[in-house]
Amino acid sequence: PTTPRNASFPNEPGKTLTLSAVPSILLLGAGRVGRAIALDLATSHKLIVADKSPSALQTLQAELPSLEIVPIDLTAPESLTQVAHGAELIVMALPGSIGYRVLAHLVRLGKKIVDISFFPEDPYSLAELARSTGAIVVVDAGVAPGLSNLILGYELSQMPIESFVCYVGGLPVERPWPFQYKAPFSPEDVIEEYTRPVRQRIGGRLVVKPPLSEVELVEIPPLGLLEAFNTDGLRTLLRTTQVPTLIEKTLRYPGHVEYMQVLKQTGFFSQEPIEVEGHLIIPRQVSLALLQKSWAMRPEEADLTVMKIHLRTEGGTTITYTLVDQADWQRRISSMARTTGYTCAAIATWLIEQASLPPGIYAPEEIAGLSGCFSYIINYLADRRVVLKRQADAA
């Protein structure tokens, strides 16, 4: 069908969207992660999915015949208001380029929202608006940021933490030459990771470091040695916690970072135009077009999500969390979609079924210490074979 079951959507502005059965949860975004969220939430909730792509929606509805779908321009405020009306909770799985605009509009509507758009803007700039409209928002509800934040937030609710070091990355099972890498999300976002200055807290002081720096080898059984390097992924943790040392590094197969350093140093990631045979070109756009093809992950290719977190308490105890997750071949869900999407679905389900939060903007670390929250989410993930291992070693 070209329109949602039990719904009609106008192609022209000023017309009215009508839904004969308003769902409990509205999901915005039918991409790779959105699909994983939909397949999960549709088993226990009434669900409607909205996206700008009719073909993506129709493909998803073919898998979930009971699903309601709405093709919509999510950046059009009137249409967004119409489709959001009556939804008890809204899940945002949108590109970061439009995430903040959509979230701001939904906050004005006073909605309950869980977001994984990872937009660059400051979500707390919407905090006062959320409190005034009654909106309840959990941002950065993915794997990292997201699950990693939940871990730190929970441990902080139990004891003072002196140091948090997170190693995390998405990897292909096969290691294709030369980059030994496939992008489980947009290559543009990967290049942004490799070029954005890195913010960390060391000894209680905010420090800024170059991306791709301080390369080290990390042992991750059963994969063996992986290389880790600085990227800017701490986001809200630098604001919401006072942990003296906060570090996050990206994991790749050994050798990958050197190729990226060569490309960056040579100027392939630059956004400054250069003249080539009388034409101005932007090197990053050319690199992106080439890497898009090289890094594209085909449906038959499997991936891994790897995360290792080291926490040190003020008493000297070291706590280690380890996650090694694999793609779901049977359901064609990548590991990155599983770990990101299921964490988001777990937070959404907890928020709609069990939580009672005052209006405002929340990061995952701010809810992790609430009664029953962390165990609910960890058990939810374990039921879907996303399993965290925790080990504590006394000083």
Side-chain angles (χ1 to χ4, degrees):
T2 57
T3 56
R5 187 167 288 113
N6 296 326
S8 61
F9 181 73
N11 292 320
E12 299 173 6
K15 293 190 178 180
T16 302
L17 172 71
T18 59
L19 297 173
S20 61
V22 178
S24 296
I25 297 179
L26 169 66
L27 170 62
L28 305 180
R32 184 176 296 184
V33 178
R35 173 179 172 267
I37 295 170
L39 291 174
D40 187 73
L41 290 179
T43 62
S44 55
H45 294 86
K46 292 178 63 179
L47 185 68
I48 189 168
V49 182
D51 193 277
K52 69 177 181 180
S53 169
S55 61
L57 291 170
Q58 291 162 20
T59 300
L60 187 55
Q61 193 180 59
E63 294 185 87
L64 296 167
S66 64
L67 189 70
E68 294 184 14
I69 58 174
V70 178
I72 181 178
D73 177 4
L74 294 169
T75 63
E78 288 185 6
S79 298
L80 184 58
T81 298
Q82 292 168 10
V83 77
H85 177 71
E88 189 173 349
L89 181 139
I90 299 173
V91 175
M92 290 176 48
L94 299 173
S97 58
I98 65 171
Y100 183 83
R101 275 185 293 161
V102 174
L103 179 61
H105 186 75
L106 296 175
V107 169
R108 291 187 194 100
L109 300 178
K111 291 297 181 179
K112 188 178 290 187
I113 307 155
V114 177
D115 175 56
I116 56 165
S117 299
F118 307 133
F119 46 77
E121 294 89 349
D122 178 12
Y124 290 101
S125 64
L126 299 172
E128 185 175 344
L129 178 63
R131 287 190 290 268
S132 67
T133 62
I136 300 171
V137 184
V138 180
V139 297
D140 286 359
V143 59
L147 184 55
S148 55
N149 302 55
L150 287 163
I151 289 169
L152 178 56
Y154 171 73
E155 295 294 346
L156 276 171
S157 72
Q158 306 300 303
M159 67 197 83
I161 300 296
E162 185 177 278
S163 173
F164 168 88
V165 181
C166 176
Y167 302 97
V168 64
L171 302 168
V173 172
E174 300 297 327
R175 299 170 58 169
W177 187 86
F179 300 112
Q180 302 187 80
Y181 180 66
K182 295 282 186 172
F185 48 89
S186 166
E188 186 173 5
D189 291 338
V190 178
I191 293 177
E192 177 64 21
E193 271 192 13
Y194 292 172
T195 55
R196 187 171 60 239
V198 178
R199 297 166 301 155
Q200 298 176 347
R201 189 183 294 149
I202 307 294
R205 295 178 58 251
L206 180 68
V207 298
V208 179
K209 299 178 180 178
L212 304 174
S213 61
E214 298 183 337
V215 182
E216 61 177 307
L217 293 177
V218 180
E219 180 77 22
I220 308 284
L223 301 178
L225 287 175
L226 299 176
E227 66 182 12
F229 50 88
N230 286 328
T231 50
D232 187 53
L234 292 169
R235 292 172 66 91
T236 59
L237 292 175
L238 291 166
R239 174 186 181 129
T240 61
T241 77
Q242 299 301 316
V243 176
T245 296
L246 291 171
I247 297 171
E248 180 175 305
K249 289 189 169 185
T250 290
L251 290 171
R252 296 287 186 260
Y253 289 120
H256 174 85
V257 70
E258 185 173 11
Y259 281 103
M260 297 300 101
Q261 289 169 332
V262 168
L263 290 176
K264 182 186 174 189
Q265 186 66 29
T266 310
F268 285 94
F269 294 160
S270 172
Q271 300 204 70
E272 292 295 321
I274 61 173
E275 185 174 340
V276 179
E277 296 185 354
H279 299 281
L280 287 177
I281 65 169
I282 298 175
R284 183 184 289 202
Q285 291 182 350
V286 176
S287 300
L288 179 61
L290 294 170
L291 292 173
Q292 188 104 26
K293 181 178 180 180
S294 176
W295 287 357
M297 183 171 287
R298 297 187 299 273
E300 68 273 14
E301 291 181 310
D303 69 325
L304 301 163
T305 303
V306 184
M307 184 164 67
K308 192 165 192 175
I309 293 175
H310 297 291
L311 303 112
R312 188 173 68 250
T313 71
E314 287 187 357
T317 298
T318 299
I319 301 170
T320 302
Y321 281 85
T322 306
L323 169 71
V324 179
D325 183 76
Q326 298 185 5
D328 184 341
W329 273 101
Q330 185 175 2
R331 304 181 75 195
R332 295 181 296 108
I333 304 176
S334 72
S335 175
M336 186 59 68
R338 279 168 46 81
T339 52
T340 303
Y342 294 164
T343 303
C344 178
I347 293 173
T349 306
W350 171 80
L351 189 60
I352 202 172
E353 292 182 355
Q354 297 198 2
S356 179
L357 296 176
I361 305 292
Y362 298 88
E365 63 271 19
E366 295 177 289
I367 64 172
L370 300 178
S371 177
C373 175
F374 187 70
S375 60
Y376 180 95
I377 293 168
I378 295 304
N379 290 333
Y380 190 103
L381 293 173
D383 287 344
R384 288 146 182 83
R385 295 181 294 105
V386 178
V387 180
L388 276 170
K389 297 180 180 178
R390 181 186 187 274
Q391 180 178 331
D393 298 308

